Amino acid sequence: MRRKTLLKSIHAIPYLFLFLLISCDRGKEIEIPLPDYENQLVVECYLEPGTPMRMLLTESVSFFASPQVPLVKDALVTITHNGIVDTLSYLGLLRDADTTKIYNYAKISKNVEFDYTSEYSLYIKTPDGREVTGKCIIPKPVLIDSVDISYEPDDTLGSALVTFTDPPGDDYYRFILYRDTLISVQDVLFDENLTRSTPFVIKAGEKFYIRTRRNFNIKENDTHILALIHMDKAYFDYVRSIKDSRELNGNPFAQASKVKSNVTGGLGIFAGVSYDAKLRLPK
């Protein structure tokens, strides 16, 4: 009898625990004090030879704030190169139809020089006294050697094999495949040592081979742009940290990813951009 009574008591424990949980006041609110959030200046400035100097200047917002992109107006923005200081003007929020880039400061009357050795310096001062500085050098473009598109038998979709030669030195790359009106259908980030593996890129000696997704349709009037971007480590780390942050968003078990900036006094990136692009028409 004692054994039966003991067994009955053990079997009753889960039900007792469940009863206690149900009887708890689930409607009670718990307040967790959070530190005050301090908005920071956010910079996105890419210097591309042969195009005007353009920059997007905004402010960061708290995670709990309503979705918005606060533009920063009336700031002093200068870019110095070889002793020449150029001042960028506030133009409101604009979009470049050719690159889809968004900016609110620019100097449309002057293009970035094809200079791959001299340093560029950024200086920003807002009306409330905040300052941001940054420096960069534009890397030399790395050219695409060849683009070969292949199709499987009886298949309308094909893929491209892109090859290029890696120059000496520490190099970082981004390959983007655009379709039609600059719709990105593939975006691959890698360095010369392939420290993070990707199924789309292999290296043999000094040659890189990039395989695109099967996206080329021989029956549709699609055009494609294949762009190989050569970047420095700061820009590479910035893009990778943004990609990691997006992938981890919504995963409660993942460690938070911090966006890596190369500017002082705020967040964001000030970098040079060089690329080689190939336009492919339908077969």
Side-chain angles (χ1 to χ4, degrees):
M1 291 295 294
R2 292 182 59 189
R3 183 184 179 188
K4 290 183 179 180
T5 302
L6 180 60
L7 289 176
K8 288 181 180 179
S9 299
I10 293 176
H11 287 251
I13 289 177
Y15 299 99
L16 177 60
F17 181 67
L18 180 61
F19 173 77
L20 291 174
L21 285 179
I22 295 175
S23 63
C24 291
D25 183 5
R26 291 178 295 174
K28 184 177 180 180
E29 295 183 358
I30 300 177
E31 293 186 2
I32 301 177
L34 297 175
D36 293 334
Y37 180 78
E38 182 179 353
N39 294 44
Q40 298 189 65
L41 295 174
V42 180
V43 178
E44 273 196 283
C45 185
Y46 307 102
L47 300 181
E48 180 185 332
T51 65
M53 298 177 177
R54 291 168 291 193
M55 182 192 73
L56 179 64
L57 181 61
T58 61
E59 271 191 330
S60 64
V61 295
S62 168
F63 177 82
F64 300 100
S66 59
Q68 57 180 320
V69 181
L71 299 179
V72 177
K73 304 178 181 180
D74 303 323
L76 171 64
V77 179
T78 64
I79 295 178
T80 303
H81 175 243
N82 286 335
I84 299 175
V85 181
D86 290 297
T87 301
L88 280 63
S89 302
Y90 179 77
L91 304 176
L93 190 61
L94 299 174
R95 177 180 178 270
D96 185 357
D98 295 331
T99 64
T100 71
K101 286 187 175 67
I102 298 175
Y103 59 96
N104 56 353
Y105 285 84
K107 185 169 184 177
I108 304 298
S109 60
K110 183 176 180 179
N111 290 342
V112 178
E113 298 179 22
F114 289 83
D115 185 347
Y116 305 113
T117 57
S118 302
E119 189 176 68
Y120 289 80
S121 298
L122 173 69
Y123 175 76
I124 301 171
K125 186 173 183 179
T126 61
D128 59 3
R130 290 178 293 175
E131 294 180 315
V132 174
T133 59
K135 295 182 179 181
C136 75
I137 293 178
I138 302 175
K140 293 182 179 179
V142 175
L143 303 182
I144 295 174
D145 294 333
S146 63
V147 178
D148 297 311
I149 300 178
S150 59
Y151 296 86
E152 297 295 332
D154 302 322
D155 195 345
T156 61
L157 292 178
S159 60
L161 180 64
V162 180
T163 63
F164 72 92
T165 303
D166 179 41
D170 296 329
D171 296 292
Y172 303 86
Y173 301 100
R174 186 179 187 182
F175 173 79
I176 305 179
L177 173 63
Y178 297 99
R179 185 180 71 243
D180 289 339
T181 55
L182 293 180
I183 300 174
S184 175
V185 294
Q186 187 172 1
D187 189 345
V188 185
L189 194 69
F190 57 98
D191 60 24
E192 66 170 359
N193 297 316
L194 294 179
T195 53
R196 183 178 296 189
S197 62
T198 167
F200 301 106
V201 183
I202 62 173
K203 185 180 182 182
E206 301 304 317
K207 285 282 188 179
F208 270 103
Y209 300 86
I210 307 172
R211 173 67 68 180
T212 70
R213 293 191 176 97
R214 294 172 63 251
N215 189 263
F216 293 82
N217 196 324
I218 62 176
K219 291 186 177 181
E220 300 293 336
N221 191 28
D222 292 341
T223 58
H224 294 79
I225 298 175
L226 304 99
L228 177 64
I229 302 171
H230 188 205
M231 59 180 66
D232 61 14
K233 188 176 187 303
Y235 184 22
F236 178 84
D237 290 340
Y238 173 75
V239 176
R240 172 168 284 183
S241 65
I242 289 179
K243 282 177 169 285
D244 290 343
S245 180
R246 288 174 178 170
E247 292 174 0
L248 295 175
N249 187 27
N251 183 355
F253 302 104
Q255 184 176 358
S257 176
K258 182 179 180 180
V259 175
K260 296 183 179 180
S261 304
N262 76 332
V263 296
T264 302
L267 304 173
I269 186 71
F270 176 60
V273 177
S274 294
Y275 68 91
D276 186 27
K278 303 295 184 184
L279 176 65
R280 300 297 298 188
L281 301 173
K283 184 177 179 182

